[in-house]
Amino acid sequence: MLTDWKEVDGGLRRLARTRAAHDHEEGRFLLAARRTAVHAHLGFATMAEYVERVLGYDARTTAERLRVAEALEGLPALAAALRSGAISWSAARELTRVAAPATEDAWLRAAAGRTVRQIEEAVAGHRPGDAPEDPSDPSLRPRVVRLELSPEALALFREAVRRLRVETDPRLSDEDAVMEMARRALGGPGDEGRAPYQVALTVCARCHRTWQQGRGEAIEVGADVAERAACDGQHVGQTAVTATRLEAGIGAHGGHDAAGTHVGISAHGGIGAHGGIGPHGGHDAAGAHVGIGAHGGIGPHGGHDAAGAHV
């Protein structure tokens, strides 16, 4: 029986280092198993089924383990830290979301002495290639959605995700799978040059921050969403959005006047073709409703008539 607290602490730390080394080795073998199609040789229908039988991981855990292992192939410093036990697999999981060969040492220094939760907070809001000191973008922070589903609904959802991965990319993430389902569900007329659906955005004329409307709630999104529609948007109407309305619905913008733009976007996101910002600086500006084709195409018919545009 273990009674010496120092011995207990030492044992747990040793196990943590050993586990990290095993996690690194396991990742290498998982990648090799996928690349050599071990599951097919053994009669399994999918890689996920094989891993569940051998290691007990569900499909999502397997996909994440593979993602981390593949990222570590291009991040030698992070890989060495995991192999030596300097960081845990959970820490490596978070750091591989943002680290690049040029920034991995900086991220390792930033993670030193932090808990996994603190590392998650440090990583959130950063893009791959960002350095730890780069400004965090709140629109990049993931949102958690929890659903209670019947067994039948869960089975249908999993089968839909599986089919999407077969049709598109075996490494399709859950987020990308949900976005593809939403695009297909929202897809409207098949006419080329006509937007299949519209989504409303609001853009601040001063700071250019962008919010997308989702079931009546304004959710901040990245600037790239605005840029995509500025490239291939279809104008179908206009509406004015005042600073007061923006501040009431979204929050203050430092006291300055703001102008908003409502637009319609397609699967590729975005805002209106002229940037969605009024020409008069601090004055209220008219916003454009925009429809965008599923592949960025622009046609002569727009998305809807101006009178029927969503506001």
Side-chain angles (χ1 to χ4, degrees):
M1 183 176 181
L2 297 173
T3 57
D4 185 341
W5 69 268
K6 293 182 180 179
E7 181 183 358
V8 171
D9 176 63
L12 289 173
R13 292 178 185 273
R14 174 180 54 79
L15 288 171
R17 291 191 297 271
T18 302
R19 177 179 295 176
H22 286 170
D23 283 332
H24 177 268
E25 189 75 355
E26 179 187 88
R28 293 178 59 245
F29 274 89
L30 282 172
L31 279 178
R34 185 175 69 185
R35 289 165 180 170
T36 59
V38 168
H39 68 280
H41 291 290
L42 295 175
F44 291 96
T46 63
M47 174 73 175
E49 181 186 1
Y50 165 73
V51 175
E52 185 174 14
R53 294 284 186 180
V54 175
L55 296 175
Y57 296 150
D58 60 22
R60 182 175 182 178
T61 301
T62 298
E64 188 70 348
R65 291 264 171 179
L66 284 166
R67 181 195 67 79
V68 173
E70 194 166 33
L72 289 176
E73 287 187 324
L75 300 168
L78 272 178
L82 178 61
R83 186 170 56 247
S84 68
I87 61 174
S88 66
W89 183 86
S90 296
R93 177 194 63 204
E94 297 306 314
L95 293 174
T96 53
R97 300 187 193 281
V98 293
T103 62
E104 59 174 333
D105 288 326
W107 278 108
L108 280 170
R109 290 192 297 270
R114 294 191 177 188
T115 65
V116 173
R117 178 59 183 160
Q118 289 170 333
I119 295 173
E120 288 177 356
E121 285 295 316
V123 165
H126 286 90
R127 293 181 173 85
D130 282 355
E133 64 272 14
D134 288 336
S136 176
D137 183 348
S139 70
L140 297 177
R141 291 177 178 264
R143 306 299 177 95
V144 177
V145 177
R146 292 184 175 88
L147 300 173
E148 291 187 7
L149 303 176
S150 67
E152 179 184 10
L154 178 60
L156 286 172
F157 173 77
R158 287 180 173 174
E159 177 61 17
V161 172
R162 185 199 67 79
R163 184 169 299 182
L164 285 174
R165 286 174 176 151
V166 170
E167 294 176 359
T168 57
D169 183 350
R171 294 171 291 181
L172 191 73
S173 68
D174 287 346
E175 178 178 355
D176 289 336
V178 169
M179 291 180 69
E180 181 62 23
M181 289 181 196
R183 288 169 184 143
R184 296 187 183 191
L186 292 171
D191 301 346
E192 283 199 27
R194 178 168 180 175
Y197 63 90
Q198 297 179 33
V199 176
L201 299 181
T202 301
V203 179
C204 174
R206 289 293 183 88
C207 67
H208 298 186
R209 289 169 65 191
T210 306
W211 291 262
Q212 180 171 323
Q213 295 294 320
R215 204 168 65 177
E217 178 185 356
I219 301 173
E220 187 167 5
V221 296
D224 59 315
V225 174
E227 292 170 0
R228 280 195 296 270
C231 175
D232 60 6
Q234 296 173 340
H235 287 271
V236 295
Q238 288 193 184
T239 184
V241 182
T242 65
T244 302
R245 180 174 165 186
L246 279 173
E247 291 177 0
I250 298 170
H253 297 284
H256 60 68
D257 291 337
T261 299
H262 282 265
V263 304
I265 66 173
S266 74
H268 299 292
I271 67 164
H274 298 291
I277 299 169
H280 304 297
H283 298 286
D284 291 342
H289 281 267
V290 177
I292 301 174
H295 300 287
I298 302 175
H301 304 297
H304 289 293
D305 293 334
H310 170 69
V311 179

